[in-house]
Amino acid sequence: MNSQAYQSVLASHLLSNAEFLAGDNWKYQQDNSPIHSSNSTKNWFQVNNVETLKWPAKSPDLNPIENLWGDLARRVHANGRHFTSSIELKSTIEDEWYKTDPELCQKLVSSMKTRIFEVIRRNGFYTGF
């Protein structure tokens, strides 16, 4: 995927669903992948009035989607499964994605407060009150 393809996905899915899913005052979270942080994508966000969260580099422990991707990958490749074609792999990924338990998503989001405090503690910024 490149920046233009990413922006197309955002245009098709983010803009039409964000308010419904997150309410009126939402911000978009993404990591610092090159397609996410390119000048073209930054411009797309500005033109479309999408506010993004500032995100520290190399911080997958603060992003619930990283855990969801890990869960998905484990299910796709369960029992050492290999694929003979990209079509078979894509189909399996889609099947497993739609089987994702919504409770897992809620659990990952709910864990953010603990994750943030753990990162602060591990980096020596928090010693308790």
Side-chain angles (χ1 to χ4, degrees), residues 7-83:
Q7 293 161 33
S8 178
V9 169
L10 293 172
S12 297
H13 301 288
L14 175 67
L15 295 179
S16 60
N17 293 301
E19 272 189 43
F20 172 74
L21 294 171
D24 293 334
N25 190 20
W26 59 273
K27 293 182 182 179
Y28 187 65
Q29 176 191 346
Q30 61 182 0
D31 62 20
N32 293 311
S33 164
I35 64 170
H36 300 165
S37 59
S38 71
N39 287 333
S40 173
T41 298
K42 288 177 184 176
N43 184 57
W44 186 92
F45 283 124
Q46 188 172 20
V47 166
N48 289 281
N49 297 313
V50 174
E51 188 175 353
T52 59
L53 292 172
K54 303 286 187 233
W55 208 248
K58 299 179 183 176
S59 58
D61 46 352
L62 292 177
N63 194 340
I65 195 69
E66 297 299 334
N67 297 98
L68 189 57
W69 292 143
D71 176 73
L72 178 64
R74 284 186 292 280
R75 289 185 282 132
V76 167
H77 296 287
N79 303 316
R81 184 168 184 197
H82 295 279
F83 300 91

Side-chain angles (χ1 to χ4, degrees), residues 41-123:
T41 298
K42 288 177 184 176
N43 184 57
W44 186 92
F45 283 124
Q46 188 172 20
V47 166
N48 289 281
N49 297 313
V50 174
E51 188 175 353
T52 59
L53 292 172
K54 303 286 187 233
W55 208 248
K58 299 179 183 176
S59 58
D61 46 352
L62 292 177
N63 194 340
I65 195 69
E66 297 299 334
N67 297 98
L68 189 57
W69 292 143
D71 176 73
L72 178 64
R74 284 186 292 280
R75 289 185 282 132
V76 167
H77 296 287
N79 303 316
R81 184 168 184 197
H82 295 279
F83 300 91
T84 57
S85 71
S86 60
I87 293 170
E88 181 186 11
L89 173 60
K90 181 179 178 184
S91 175
T92 302
I93 291 169
E94 288 177 352
D95 289 346
E96 291 299 331
W97 176 257
Y98 288 111
K99 291 179 190 174
T100 299
D101 185 351
E103 288 183 25
L104 172 61
C105 298
Q106 184 59 50
K107 179 182 170 187
L108 292 171
V109 170
S110 296
S111 71
M112 285 306 298
K113 182 177 179 180
T114 303
R115 290 168 184 267
I116 291 168
F117 279 113
E118 183 59 24
V119 167
I120 292 169
R121 185 192 65 75
R122 274 187 296 181
N123 288 291

